[in-house]
Amino acid sequence: MAAEGGGKEMNEIKTQFTTREGLYKLLSHSEYSRPNRVPFNSQGSNPVKVSFVNVNDQSGNGDRICFNVGRELYFYIYKGVRKAADLSKPIDKRIYKGTQPTCHDFNHLTATADSVSLLVGFSAGQVQLIDPIKKETSKLFNEERLIDKSRVTCVKWVPGSESLFLVAHSSGNMYLYNVEHTCGTTAPHYQLLKQGENFAVHTCKSKSTRNPLLKWTVGEGALNEFAFSPDGKFLACVSQDGFLRVFNFDSVELHGTMKSYFGGLLCVCWSPDGKYIVTGGEDDLVTVWSFVDCRVIARGQGHKSWVSVVAFDPNTTSVEEADPMEFSGSDEDFQELISFGRDRANSTQSRLSKRNSTDSRPVSVTYRFGSVGQDTQLCLWDLTEDILFPHQPLSRTRTHTNVMNATSPPSGSGGLNPGSNGNSITTPSNSIPPPLPRSNSLPHSAVSNTGSKSSVDSAIASGVSKFATLSLHDRKERHDKDHKRNHSMGHISSKSSDKLNLVTKNKTDPAKTLGTPLCPRMEDVPLLEPLICKKIAHERLTVLIFLEDCIVTACQEGFICTWARPGKVGLLSSQNQANSPSGTVV
């Protein structure tokens, strides 16, 4: 399936790559797929997605993996870098008729060795709650498709909750459900709770509490993905209309927006400390947006097609210049620990540095994130302090991400202006009108301006008062995304007849947003180059997940690959090389 890494041919699939941390290696023994290992004919099928959960069993191997391929859904013990995958023994396997699974999410709070709660969204609009350990199906939501008939694009448990979950559809609507409530036998009636620019939130109007508790109508066209902030208080949504919208989830207030360079936005993720959001989409770019300042601070150009998934790597995010793999400092230098849903990641998660806008002592900060795309390429990026804090004197020794200069050729993105240059970062003392108009008039505040933070009690009607009393805890969000290869803005339209009546009719002209803070011109923000950009699959990539000892990717052929981090590859090689049926690790 793969050739050795380091080859010179452009179409050669890489099995290893090197960063400053060392060598990452593909573990052929740890490849998960359908039991027959035959590449899946993905024509017309929904993207392959992967979900993880840790059940904390006594064996020390508590990781479980779920993935969908076509009409099939699989649930395995995930052995990662420790042991070879045994595809002959799935814990659970399901084959669906008339619909396909599109996305899924585990409830990390309730998972045990004997039971897990797994939500599965489907192409026909339903959401199923199953327990693949007990092999039970407990509930089916939107069964009669009375709530929404369009494809489920993203489903996630609300952080800190054992019963609430949020579902997004290609209709552009999101719905908040409670697993304890029914969906009713008739179509729901709604009453307006809150309305803003291109969004509206409704409560379900009924005598008895029923699902959905809330209906969000966001933007125009499909809502492709959403992600909760690490503290669970904010919700970032990306839509086919090209907008990132960030909401305060409790008060249902819009915190900020951003517009893609062109085309729809397909994926979104948060930095581990919640300070930055990265998006990817049909403009072939990754875009970094500051949550505090509500503005674009950088774009990354490296993909040659649509960006499918973006994800931060909490294990390589650094606050110290000397050793990017270590985290140290005094209590004053760090903010409180960000907790992730997977228990195994807690042992390596650090506290990221507080950086006060009035602090005269600069602290070196590097965020690592990755992206995969329909060009079958994996890109890794470093977001460094010269990008984050441009008003500080540059320290190029700390810059691990290359910044493209005027002579850098465009990477083949069809809609980018080859004449626009990313210009290497200039110091703030430059008095000439800069190509990067991110001047000191845009200070970096260390304190998040949360705006209106009224509690849900005052924002939500009595019918959903139980939702108001929740305390939202931190949990790692998954990085799911769902779109078809040939999606374009012309193919997407609102499927709900009443949607235009729910949203304020402020259509945004893309030509009018270009050059504004919503969508800066290419020459107005730093343009990052990837640390690495490697072709790692035959078909478009649909999964990128950073784990403690490996990186997990998946392609539309149905192959889920494990890439051992530097120093971790020996674990599998020494223990299983003799027993593995798949040959040697390359």
Side-chain angles (χ1 to χ4, degrees):
M1 174 180 170
E4 281 195 30
K8 295 181 180 179
E9 295 184 14
M10 291 298 291
N11 292 328
E12 198 170 287
I13 292 180
K14 304 298 186 268
T15 60
Q16 60 186 42
F17 57 86
T18 303
T19 67
R20 69 175 187 275
E21 307 95 62
L23 182 68
Y24 289 77
K25 280 195 171 186
L26 175 66
L27 303 182
S28 58
H29 306 90
S30 296
E31 182 179 85
Y32 286 77
S33 67
R34 297 186 298 168
N36 59 14
R37 293 186 181 271
V38 175
F40 175 67
N41 183 0
S42 61
Q43 195 69 26
S45 292
N46 289 286
V48 173
K49 296 293 183 65
V50 172
S51 298
F52 284 100
V53 69
N54 189 288
V55 298
N56 296 313
D57 67 355
Q58 299 301 314
S59 69
N61 188 21
D63 292 322
R64 303 290 182 265
I65 183 174
C66 172
F67 58 91
N68 62 289
V69 182
R71 297 185 298 116
E72 303 167 11
L73 187 75
Y74 292 93
F75 182 68
Y76 281 97
I77 294 175
Y78 180 69
K79 300 178 180 179
V81 302
R82 296 179 296 279
K83 293 182 180 179
D86 184 359
L87 299 183
S88 65
K89 297 178 180 179
I91 300 174
D92 195 14
K93 172 187 174 181
R94 300 181 183 223
I95 302 177
Y96 296 94
K97 295 181 179 179
T99 187
Q100 294 185 2
T102 59
C103 50
H104 31 84
D105 189 34
F106 287 105
N107 193 318
H108 298 261
L109 288 180
T110 62
T112 67
D114 301 319
S115 175
V116 294
S117 295
L118 176 68
L119 291 168
V120 184
F122 290 91
S123 56
Q126 303 94 335
V127 178
Q128 191 178 46
L129 175 63
I130 65 176
D131 187 332
I133 294 180
K134 293 182 176 178
K135 296 182 171 57
E136 292 178 355
T137 301
S138 59
K139 287 189 178 180
L140 186 60
F141 301 91
N142 194 30
E143 180 175 5
E144 302 299 326
R145 304 171 71 211
L146 297 172
I147 297 171
D148 201 305
K149 292 181 171 59
S150 66
R151 187 182 77 256
V152 175
T153 57
C154 187
V155 60
K156 286 187 173 72
W157 293 94
V158 173
S161 174
E162 296 184 2
S163 58
L164 293 178
F165 62 93
L166 194 61
V167 183
H169 289 258
S170 60
S171 63
N173 296 325
M174 283 190 304
Y175 303 90
L176 180 69
Y177 288 83
N178 188 322
V179 295
E180 306 299 332
H181 298 156
T182 64
C183 292
T185 56
T186 59
H189 295 279
Y190 299 100
Q191 62 184 19
L192 183 65
L193 171 66
K194 188 161 294 189
Q195 193 168 13
E197 185 175 354
N198 283 301
F199 83 93
V201 183
H202 289 73
T203 58
C204 192
K205 187 178 180 181
S206 62
K207 292 182 179 179
S208 59
T209 305
R210 60 162 285 183
N211 284 319
L213 302 181
L214 292 178
K215 175 185 178 180
W216 298 57
T217 301
V218 181
E220 298 177 17
L223 203 164
N224 290 320
E225 190 180 34
F226 63 82
F228 285 99
S229 61
D231 62 6
K233 295 179 180 178
F234 290 87
L235 182 71
C237 306
V238 289
S239 302
Q240 194 62 33
D241 61 8
F243 276 88
L244 161 74
R245 296 176 176 90
V246 182
F247 297 93
N248 183 312
F249 188 61
D250 286 4
S251 63
V252 252
E253 295 282 352
L254 183 64
H255 171 79
T257 60
M258 180 205 79
K259 175 69 171 62
S260 68
Y261 196 67
F262 67 84
L265 287 177
L266 305 173
C267 50
V268 61
C269 67
W270 291 79
S271 64
D273 57 0
K275 291 183 178 181
Y276 302 98
I277 294 173
V278 170
T279 65
E282 294 175 357
D283 53 11
D284 306 350
L285 301 169
V286 294
T287 302
V288 185
W289 189 80
S290 168
F291 175 82
V292 174
D293 295 332
C294 292
R295 65 185 182 92
V296 175
I297 62 168
R299 290 190 180 106
Q301 186 175 3
H303 286 284
K304 298 178 176 64
S305 187
W306 296 356
V307 180
S308 306
V309 186
V310 286
F312 273 87
D313 181 0
N315 302 282
T316 316
T317 293
S318 162
V319 295
E320 288 297 325
E321 177 185 359
D323 187 351
M325 299 300 290
E326 295 292 328
F327 301 86
S328 60
S330 66
D331 291 340
E332 291 79 16
D333 289 332
F334 296 104
Q335 70 178 50
E336 68 177 20
L337 183 67
I338 302 297
S339 165
F340 289 91
R342 301 195 70 231
D343 290 338
R344 66 195 297 244
N346 286 341
S347 61
T348 60
Q349 180 56 36
S350 76
R351 287 164 287 185
L352 290 169
S353 167
K354 276 185 178 178
R355 191 184 188 282
N356 203 309
S357 58
T358 59
D359 188 359
S360 61
R361 183 173 59 85
V363 178
S364 176
V365 182
T366 301
Y367 296 85
R368 167 70 54 81
F369 66 93
S371 57
V372 295
Q374 295 197 6
D375 56 2
T376 71
Q377 293 194 116
L378 164 68
C379 292
L380 294 181
W381 315 78
D382 270 359
L383 187 60
T384 50
E385 63 174 8
D386 53 351
I387 302 296
L388 301 175
F389 316 120
H391 52 282
Q392 290 290 337
L394 287 184
S395 173
R396 300 202 180 270
T397 58
R398 297 193 202 128
T399 304
H400 302 295
T401 300
N402 299 318
V403 180
M404 299 181 71
N405 56 35
T407 61
S408 298
S411 71
S413 174
L416 299 182
N417 178 9
S420 65
N421 62 70
N423 287 17
S424 56
I425 312 300
T426 56
T427 58
S429 59
N430 190 345
S431 60
I432 301 174
L436 307 177
R438 293 162 49 251
S439 66
N440 289 340
S441 63
L442 295 171
H444 285 61
S445 170
V447 180
S448 170
N449 177 17
T450 56
S452 173
K453 276 200 137 184
S454 58
S455 69
V456 184
D457 299 274
S458 61
I460 297 186
S462 59
V464 288
S465 60
K466 290 182 180 179
F467 172 52
T469 61
L470 278 176
S471 172
L472 300 178
H473 299 296
D474 303 330
R475 204 195 81 190
K476 178 192 175 195
E477 75 264 11
R478 284 191 310 109
H479 311 286
D480 292 328
K481 181 230 31 103
D482 183 38
H483 70 284
K484 294 181 180 178
R485 179 184 288 273
N486 294 320
H487 266 355
S488 69
M489 296 188 72
H491 294 152
I492 303 298
S493 63
S494 170
K495 291 189 175 66
S496 58
S497 60
D498 62 341
K499 184 177 174 187
L500 293 178
N501 297 325
L502 302 180
V503 180
T504 51
K505 297 181 180 180
N506 286 347
K507 283 200 172 184
T508 307
D509 184 353
K512 293 181 180 179
T513 62
L514 184 61
T516 70
L518 271 180
C519 180
R521 297 183 183 277
M522 292 299 291
E523 61 267 24
D524 288 347
V525 294
L527 193 58
L528 308 179
E529 282 185 327
L531 297 175
I532 63 105
C533 193
K534 303 293 183 183
K535 178 181 174 67
I536 62 170
H538 289 291
E539 284 291 330
R540 67 185 190 269
L541 292 161
T542 58
V543 171
L544 174 63
I545 301 174
F546 290 97
L547 302 180
E548 183 179 351
D549 47 16
C550 61
I551 300 174
V552 176
T553 61
C555 70
Q556 195 55 23
E557 284 186 315
F559 295 110
I560 291 89
C561 297
T562 297
W563 300 78
R565 290 185 185 270
K568 303 293 186 180
V569 67
L571 296 176
L572 181 63
S573 300
S574 60
Q575 295 173 12
N576 302 287
Q577 192 165 358
N579 300 326
S580 172
S582 304
T584 58
V585 177
V586 290

